[in-house]
Amino acid sequence: MSTSTSASQPATSSKTATLKLPGEEIELPIITGTEDEQAIDIQALRDQSGFITLDPGYSNTGACESKITFIDGEKGILRYRGYDIEDLAAKSTFVETALLLMYGELPAGETVTRFREKLTDQQLLHENMRNHFEGFPPHGHPMAMLSAMINACGCYHPELLDPDMDDQSLFHAAAILMSKVCTIAAFAYKMTSGQRVEYPDPSLSYCRNFLHMMFSKPHRRYEPTPQVVKALSRFLILHADHEQNCSTSTVRMVGSSRANVFASVSAGVCALWGPLHGGANMAVIEMLEQIHKGGESPKTIVEKVKQKKFRLMGFGHRVYKNFDPRAKILEQTARDLLATKSEPDPLLDIAHELAEIALTDDYFLQRKLYPNVDFYSGIILRAIGIPVSMFTVMFSIGRIPGWIAHWYELYHDPQRRICRPRQIYTGPRRREFVPVDERRTAAPKVC
Ligand code: ACO
């Protein structure tokens, strides 16, 4: 297996841009990607001129060249390694998609079989690792446990702490991370809900085994419907990568210091936790439940949004400014899954009504605010029976292959340097130090 793909080429540079600065002009190379997206290469700017660029939130900053995922936010396109997300969601499995992301090509059948066997081999946690769970308080957040346990995995695999990895050791590390993360997540859920843990079942597929560890009980084995398995697999595929988002950039940032793959991925889990990123799927359900219980109409909510009194969770995206293709697929998946349930979900009705009003309202149209992937993923997870506190953990399970792929790509990037952004300092200029008993200025009110 190789990490290079025949269908991709390095970014090219034949044109230049001229930057006019006070008293001078500077020529900067223009870089063009395989899908014709353009960038001005400013690597030499500070050396040539003393200027840096300022871009809080990095909306206009390309931190790297990458061959993994392509997004066209205006057209609502998402591709992994050149394959449309719609095709992968309909025709691929999560395990196959993971191999595609990590190695660059759709894997041959025997590679998938070998990787599945390796995933099965890695399902169990070292018994000492099980004891770590006892150290967490009973209501500790499962995202905190997940991040800590992923980092702890590194202690049990010292041979994989060296960032000098080849394709074979990556195969091993990926199987450990992808497999153990399911066991850790399910154990965290069982322990925080006061239930006996269910050990993995090597006879089951990736998704079925996870559902078994989550929902089987000593007296009743859980048998998911095919629709539940399909919805989970689709959820994981759609969350598997999303180029340089907050958590993936965190993984790359940590990896740039040559930190090992466990430490880097564990940092990605922490970054994903926030409600503006992976935590949004939880926030959506909490918001819909609040609307449902409070009895406010979706119209009133939309008015509150316009008055800036309410942020509609699951709406808006830094990159998608037309529609989020993942939201489209998951909306249909949510409908299919709920059609198999005897009880309709009132939250789905509220979600649809909110989306319909918002999608025809000028406030939303002008700001290009559309439902994002989290708007429907929460409804799917709820229908599967996943508790809200585990939603962001589910997102993490899906994102593991993407984080590993980016960590590995960074490691092989000849342009790799430690990530170290600069800043524009706006604090006080140099001041004379005054000893404590001579100070007359009011101290900050901290006590
Ligand atoms: N509800 C209401 N108004 C919004 C929303 C929203 N969800 N998102 C953006 N806006 C408004 C802002 O108030 C702002 O209006 P203004 O121009 O009148 O000031 C305008 O749209 C632009 O918003 P920004 O905050 O500048 O957009 P940004 O690109 O920085 O933020 C983000 C993107 C964080 C996703 C934002 O849309 C948001 O908070 N959404 C809700 C949380 C969410 O769903 N996050 C999941 C993202 S997907 C993912 O991570 C998997």
Side-chain angles (χ1 to χ4, degrees):
M1 257 179 299
S2 153
T3 44
S4 65
T5 63
S6 51
S8 57
Q9 304 143 14
T12 53
S13 155
S14 55
K15 292 182 270 172
T16 58
T18 308
L19 178 65
K20 273 195 186 177
L21 294 168
E24 62 178 330
E25 284 191 2
I26 292 187
E27 292 286 302
L28 296 164
I30 291 179
I31 304 285
T32 307
T34 36
E35 292 283 353
D36 294 332
E37 69 281 24
Q38 306 217 82
I40 300 167
D41 181 345
I42 55 150
Q43 287 178 80
L45 179 63
R46 188 168 177 276
D47 282 350
Q48 286 179 19
S49 67
F51 280 82
I52 63 162
T53 55
L54 183 64
D55 182 19
Y58 308 141
S59 318
N60 281 294
T61 297
C64 59
E65 292 180 13
S66 179
K67 294 179 168 60
I68 301 171
T69 288
F70 172 70
I71 298 176
D72 183 330
E74 273 69 35
K75 294 189 185 141
I77 293 173
L78 169 61
R79 292 187 197 125
Y80 297 163
R81 302 283 189 180
Y83 295 99
D84 286 330
I85 193 66
E86 290 80 2
D87 283 340
L88 292 167
K91 300 171 198 163
S92 185
T93 63
F94 179 57
V95 170
E96 191 181 40
T97 303
L99 287 166
L100 168 71
L101 282 168
M102 292 185 289
Y103 290 101
E105 298 291 351
L106 281 172
E110 70 191 58
T111 310
V112 179
T113 307
R114 228 163 31 87
F115 193 55
R116 280 191 197 286
E117 285 164 5
K118 205 132 176 76
L119 287 169
T120 304
D121 286 349
Q122 292 300 332
Q123 283 170 347
L124 282 171
L125 301 181
H126 191 289
E127 273 302 301
N128 287 352
M129 264 193 101
R130 262 210 57 186
N131 297 336
H132 291 308
F133 283 103
E134 316 291 342
F136 292 113
H139 299 294
H141 199 287
M143 282 297 274
M145 294 186 196
L146 186 69
S147 167
M149 296 296 276
I150 287 176
N151 211 353
C153 271
C155 304
Y156 295 87
H157 297 280
E159 76 285 4
L160 296 172
L161 295 186
D162 184 347
D164 287 327
M165 271 195 181
D166 58 13
D167 282 2
Q168 272 315 314
S169 36
L170 185 82
F171 200 68
H172 187 43
I176 291 170
L177 276 164
M178 279 181 63
S179 198
K180 295 209 190 302
V181 85
C182 288
T183 314
I184 293 168
F187 277 24
Y189 165 60
K190 289 282 188 185
M191 294 231 172
T192 51
S193 56
Q195 299 180 50
R196 202 192 80 173
V197 298
E198 286 297 323
Y199 276 79
D201 179 343
S203 71
L204 298 176
S205 69
Y206 189 85
C207 289
R208 281 179 185 274
N209 178 51
F210 175 69
L211 292 165
H212 154 69
M213 288 191 288
M214 282 291 290
F215 300 126
S216 283
K217 300 215 162 122
H219 59 283
R220 184 181 52 81
R221 194 177 164 89
Y222 173 79
E223 293 294 345
T225 63
Q227 290 88 350
V228 164
V229 179
K230 190 169 166 193
L232 176 58
S233 168
R234 206 164 263 186
F235 169 91
L236 296 176
I237 292 171
L238 293 177
H239 285 79
D241 193 44
H242 213 234
E243 50 118 304
Q244 310 306 321
N245 56 80
C246 174
S247 55
T248 303
S249 298
T250 300
V251 169
R252 291 185 86 117
M253 168 91 67
V254 174
S256 78
S257 73
R258 291 179 63 80
N260 66 75
V261 68
F262 299 99
S264 305
V265 167
S266 157
V269 172
C270 294
L272 189 74
W273 193 352
L276 297 189
H277 191 14
N281 55 15
M282 257 174 95
V284 169
I285 289 294
E286 283 162 0
M287 173 189 82
L288 293 174
E289 273 173 347
Q290 194 189 325
I291 297 172
H292 183 52
K293 280 188 201 138
E296 272 185 312
S297 74
K299 256 194 181 150
T300 314
I301 298 295
V302 167
E303 280 314 308
K304 280 190 176 173
V305 171
K306 293 202 250 180
Q307 292 160 16
K308 306 272 183 210
K309 291 182 182 157
F310 199 93
R311 181 154 280 237
L312 211 46
M313 300 315 286
F315 260 72
H317 200 276
R318 174 59 63 78
V319 178
Y320 294 118
K321 299 298 176 196
N322 191 342
F323 67 92
D324 181 340
R326 302 167 301 170
K328 268 199 172 173
I329 299 169
L330 283 190
E331 182 191 8
Q332 190 54 50
T333 310
R335 280 182 194 281
D336 295 346
L337 185 59
L338 289 171
T340 66
K341 298 253 161 199
S342 46
E343 296 276 311
D345 188 342
L347 299 197
L348 185 65
D349 294 339
I350 296 174
H352 280 312
E353 210 180 322
L354 267 176
E356 261 168 39
I357 299 171
L359 292 174
T360 51
D361 190 294
D362 273 353
Y363 179 93
F364 288 81
L365 294 174
Q366 278 163 14
R367 288 167 183 75
K368 303 193 172 186
L369 292 173
Y370 301 89
N372 60 46
V373 66
D374 291 318
F375 198 62
Y376 296 106
S377 67
I379 291 168
I380 290 174
L381 295 177
R382 190 175 134 96
I384 293 176
I386 307 281
V388 174
S389 62
M390 289 289 292
F391 280 14
T392 318
V393 170
M394 298 302 297
F395 191 153
S396 309
I397 296 175
R399 189 52 60 86
I400 294 281
W403 287 332
I404 298 172
H406 281 274
W407 182 90
Y408 198 50
E409 181 179 70
L410 172 83
Y411 171 72
H412 283 283
D413 185 349
Q415 295 185 33
R416 181 192 70 207
R417 300 179 75 197
I418 188 166
C419 294
R420 200 330 188 157
R422 289 187 178 264
Q423 63 166 16
I424 294 295
Y425 174 69
T426 55
R429 285 173 177 268
R430 185 179 182 283
R431 298 188 276 184
E432 284 306 322
F433 179 80
V434 182
V436 66
D437 44 1
E438 294 172 26
R439 272 172 230 160
R440 301 207 184 287
T441 48
K445 286 183 185 159
V446 288
C447 46

